Amino acid sequence: MVPEGAIMDILEMQSEDLLRRLNHLTEEQASFRYEPEKWSIKEVIGHLTDTERYMGYRLFCIARGEKNNLPGHNEEDFVQEAMFDTYSLHTLLEDYTSVRNATLQLLKNLRNDVWTNWGNANGFPVTVQALPFIIAGHELHHLKILTERYFQNEDFPA
């Protein structure tokens, strides 16, 4: 899903796009769920932020030479425990922006030779170079779902 181009540029443009799409939402819209058991838009934003934070940690560890298996996480448990619906949309977007900026800063400061470092994340081999693309692809996946299942839903609040 990630387009051709420099990953730093892609991540920066992606962040601008997400903020452009979500910044104008009301609290009611941000709390919308397209089905009762599905995440709200606030929970999707929180999930994106948590996942990027988690992937950024993996990126950091592998870039620094970590050889031990890095653990996985249960996204459902994380979203439930975080209680994202109790936060304002502004707070969630601010957190997302902070994490994205931290990811970009980490990537800017990596030495050229560590991009090919291999590590183990949740039992799967992964390179430093792959992780920013995983972050970008994960966000694109959820933006597609937000567009198709939330914003185009006939019950989405006006």
Side-chain angles (χ1 to χ4, degrees):
M1 291 184 75
V2 180
E4 296 282 329
I7 192 59
M8 297 289 289
D9 294 338
I10 291 166
L11 289 169
E12 286 175 2
M13 288 184 295
Q14 192 175 57
S15 177
E16 292 168 6
D17 180 49
L18 182 133
L19 293 172
R20 193 172 33 256
R21 290 182 193 214
L22 303 180
N23 231 355
H24 71 281
L25 296 180
T26 66
E27 288 297 317
E28 179 186 11
Q29 290 170 325
S31 298
F32 178 75
R33 300 167 190 274
Y34 68 91
E35 289 182 10
E37 74 281 357
K38 297 299 183 181
W39 292 342
S40 69
I41 294 172
K42 285 182 178 185
E43 288 171 326
V44 172
I45 297 165
H47 166 69
L48 288 172
T49 305
D50 274 1
T51 300
E52 182 159 340
R53 190 176 272 127
Y54 214 83
M55 293 295 171
Y57 171 73
R58 288 174 172 176
L59 195 154
F60 166 77
C61 289
I62 296 168
R64 297 296 193 262
E66 180 62 68
K67 298 300 179 202
N68 290 316
N69 184 32
L70 298 167
H73 69 288
N74 183 311
E75 62 188 27
E76 295 290 340
D77 290 346
F78 273 36
V79 168
Q80 183 177 4
E81 183 63 30
M83 298 174 37
F84 293 123
D85 279 332
T86 66
Y87 293 91
S88 71
L89 175 62
H90 175 78
T91 298
L92 291 167
L93 292 175
E94 202 171 54
D95 191 36
Y96 163 84
T97 301
S98 294
V99 170
R100 177 54 55 95
N101 287 339
T103 299
L104 290 167
Q105 193 62 42
L106 174 62
L107 292 170
K108 285 177 188 174
N109 290 320
L110 290 178
R111 293 187 334 258
N112 288 337
D113 63 310
V114 302
W115 285 84
T116 57
N117 283 9
W118 282 89
N120 191 311
N122 198 27
F124 296 97
V126 67
T127 62
V128 169
Q129 186 174 10
L131 285 161
F133 285 93
I134 293 169
I135 291 168
H138 178 253
E139 186 167 311
L140 287 170
H141 163 74
H142 281 286
L143 284 175
K144 184 175 192 269
I145 291 171
L146 284 172
T147 299
E148 294 173 358
R149 299 185 190 165
Y150 291 78
F151 302 142
Q152 294 176 3
N153 189 294
E154 64 184 28
D155 295 326
F156 186 72

